[in-house]
Amino acid sequence: MATELSGALLARIRDPERLAAVRRLEPPATSVEEPFARQARLAARLLAAPGVLISLIDGGRQVLAGGLGLPDGWGVGREAALGFGLCPYVVAGGAPLPVADAREHPAYRDLPAVAEFDIAGYLGVPLETDDGQVVGSFCVFDHRPREWSVDDVAAAEDLAATVATALDLRAAAARARRQAETAEAAIRARDEFLAGVSHDLKTPLSTIKGYAQLLRMRASREVTPETLPGIVDGAAKIEATANKMTALINELLDVARLEAGEPLRLECAPTDLVALAAEAIAMHRANSEGRRIDLVAPEAELVGDWDQVRLERVLDNLLSNALKYSREGAVTVRAARDGDRAVLAVRDTGVGIPADDLPRIFERFHRGGNVEGRIAGTGLGLAGVRHIVEQHGGTIDVASREGAGTTVTVRLPLAGSEG
């Protein structure tokens, strides 16, 4: 059974800055790493000690980071309570702790480690980081009583300094690996995003170019009542396509503001969500490949103080996704009142979202694993939608099951309600 430490010792061990320094080191979890094994062997030779223990002391435990001559069952990553051995006393004291015979010392003789490790002579020195935080202890022990010399203490301190350096380097290397992995993931996401954006911009540009050439050819001939409708229709298509490109560019600008942590510059005015939903559905029916898009709106109108252009973009994204990810079946848009909130729900019967992807569905550039590479997209839509909704004081959530469709629900404050 572990011995209870005094309140003063626990207070020093649980100092927040010291604990933060320990956690930055990320102690080894399962096996002795070579730098620690080498230092343990060197300590055993220099100090003629059969036992070596390298411990990191957290707020409520000590964790073995390396050792030599320990009983069976004591491997790297093994944890013990603070009252198990002498190491926490080294950390709390912040100074070398030489003990001639722990079995006879009134403060240490009842510690479980004294009997389990057969400790008589004990010498522990602090493991100290570059910023002066004592994160653990480096100790040697003997199975017989021993008087420790000044040279013994100095040698142990030098060895402890090399162990602390190795711990710092190990943690720095782990952080560098994670940063490299994050950077590689960001580069992959950027490349996929640029490929998607290039595709989304190239298609309307081709349309504009084609209609512009057609208009030029028709205008080069005499304009007649027969050719005028075609020219007008071509001009209308150019305008619509240019508007689509403008919307995409505005979406990219919003995402750039989101990346920079800047709020959107909303231009709010009384806006009817039911009317916006009806207009959006009418526009998307042309691309619905014959599928039904139903509007369910118990209220004749739902008016809030909203940015109309941004809400149009929300509806456009949600409907585009619903149609893109459900190649058959109906899409249902419901606009209803719920107290002082307007609720907009877009439901499809498509491929759905895997459970593992749901927590990340609003992340920029993230797309479900069941559609990545099979269905075109940039992974920006829902990230931008959430940003717009939250800037309006609203909320958004997604309910989905892979293979069984998806429902995206947006809640926005109505006129006269608090955001």
Side-chain angles (χ1 to χ4, degrees):
M1 181 179 292
T3 302
E4 292 291 329
L5 272 66
S6 71
L9 286 176
L10 286 175
R12 288 196 288 272
I13 287 172
R14 292 172 178 168
D15 175 73
E17 291 185 4
R18 195 197 74 80
L19 292 179
V22 174
R23 287 158 189 165
R24 283 196 297 270
L25 292 177
E26 304 177 29
T30 56
S31 61
V32 177
E33 297 176 17
E34 185 54 30
F36 309 124
R38 186 181 302 120
Q39 297 306 324
R41 293 193 297 268
L42 183 58
R45 286 197 298 271
L46 285 178
L47 296 168
V52 181
L53 193 63
I54 303 170
S55 294
L56 296 178
I57 309 299
D58 206 333
R61 60 186 182 150
Q62 60 184 72
V63 182
L64 180 62
L68 187 71
L70 305 179
D72 290 342
W74 280 89
V76 168
R78 173 76 182 266
E79 298 181 6
L82 290 179
F84 178 77
L86 288 79
C87 297
Y89 293 87
V90 177
V91 172
L97 177 63
V99 180
D101 191 349
R103 294 173 300 189
E104 300 297 329
H105 196 290
Y108 310 125
R109 63 191 177 197
D110 294 326
L111 295 173
V114 172
E116 187 165 342
F117 290 1
D118 189 19
I119 296 175
Y122 174 91
L123 172 59
V125 295
L127 285 174
E128 189 171 334
T129 60
D130 288 341
D131 58 359
Q133 294 296 335
V134 177
V135 294
S137 71
F138 181 88
C139 65
V140 295
F141 60 87
D142 207 326
H143 304 313
R144 57 186 175 79
R146 181 165 175 179
E147 294 294 336
W148 302 96
S149 68
V150 173
D151 286 344
D152 290 337
V153 174
E157 287 180 318
D158 286 342
L159 289 166
T162 64
V163 170
T165 299
L167 284 167
D168 277 332
L169 291 173
R170 178 186 174 281
R175 287 192 295 271
R177 283 194 299 273
R178 285 196 299 273
Q179 289 169 355
E181 290 167 0
T182 301
E184 289 173 4
I187 290 170
R188 286 196 301 272
R190 181 205 63 189
D191 291 344
E192 291 168 4
F193 162 67
L194 290 175
V197 169
S198 297
H199 175 271
D200 286 348
L201 288 174
K202 189 180 296 182
T203 300
L205 276 173
S206 298
T207 302
I208 289 175
K209 182 178 179 181
Y211 277 106
Q213 290 173 340
L214 181 61
L215 284 177
R216 179 175 52 78
M217 288 188 294
R218 286 179 174 173
S220 66
R221 301 191 297 268
E222 183 180 352
V223 177
T224 66
E226 290 75 18
T227 61
L228 183 59
I231 294 173
V232 172
D233 181 61
K237 285 186 169 60
I238 288 176
E239 182 180 12
T241 307
N243 287 339
K244 181 178 180 181
M245 289 184 65
T246 300
L248 179 59
I249 291 168
N250 286 335
E251 184 172 350
L252 294 176
L253 291 173
D254 278 354
V255 170
R257 294 189 184 99
L258 174 59
E259 290 280 358
E262 298 176 3
L264 298 178
R265 292 187 285 272
L266 299 178
E267 297 181 7
C268 294
T271 304
D272 180 9
L273 183 61
V274 175
L276 282 186
E279 291 172 6
I281 288 171
M283 287 192 297
H284 279 273
R285 279 199 174 112
N287 299 317
S288 66
E289 299 175 356
R291 282 168 293 160
R292 288 173 47 196
I293 309 178
D294 297 322
L295 173 61
V296 178
E299 305 278 343
E301 61 179 26
L302 292 166
V303 177
D305 195 32
W306 304 316
D307 185 317
Q308 179 176 328
V309 173
R310 292 301 190 345
L311 280 196
E312 287 172 348
R313 191 182 308 157
V314 168
L315 281 156
D316 180 65
N317 268 295
L318 297 185
L319 282 168
S320 294
N321 282 348
L323 292 168
K324 184 190 301 182
Y325 298 122
S326 57
R327 293 302 183 190
E328 55 187 34
V331 172
T332 303
V333 179
R334 179 178 177 83
R337 179 187 297 271
D338 182 14
D340 61 356
R341 297 255 154 172
V343 179
L344 174 73
V346 178
R347 182 181 184 279
D348 66 60
T349 55
V351 297
I353 302 168
D356 290 345
D357 288 311
L358 269 175
R360 300 185 58 198
I361 202 64
F362 292 111
E363 291 182 15
R364 295 178 294 283
F365 311 120
H366 182 76
R367 304 184 67 220
N370 59 335
V371 299
E372 188 71 46
R374 298 194 299 111
I375 300 176
T378 63
L380 280 176
L382 281 179
V385 164
R386 181 178 68 170
H387 197 40
I388 291 170
V389 170
E390 290 178 349
Q391 290 284 293
H392 280 86
T395 61
I396 181 170
D397 60 77
V398 176
S400 185
R401 193 170 79 249
E402 189 170 8
T406 299
T407 301
V408 182
T409 304
V410 172
R411 291 177 173 82
L412 295 166
L414 287 162
S417 66
E418 295 293 327

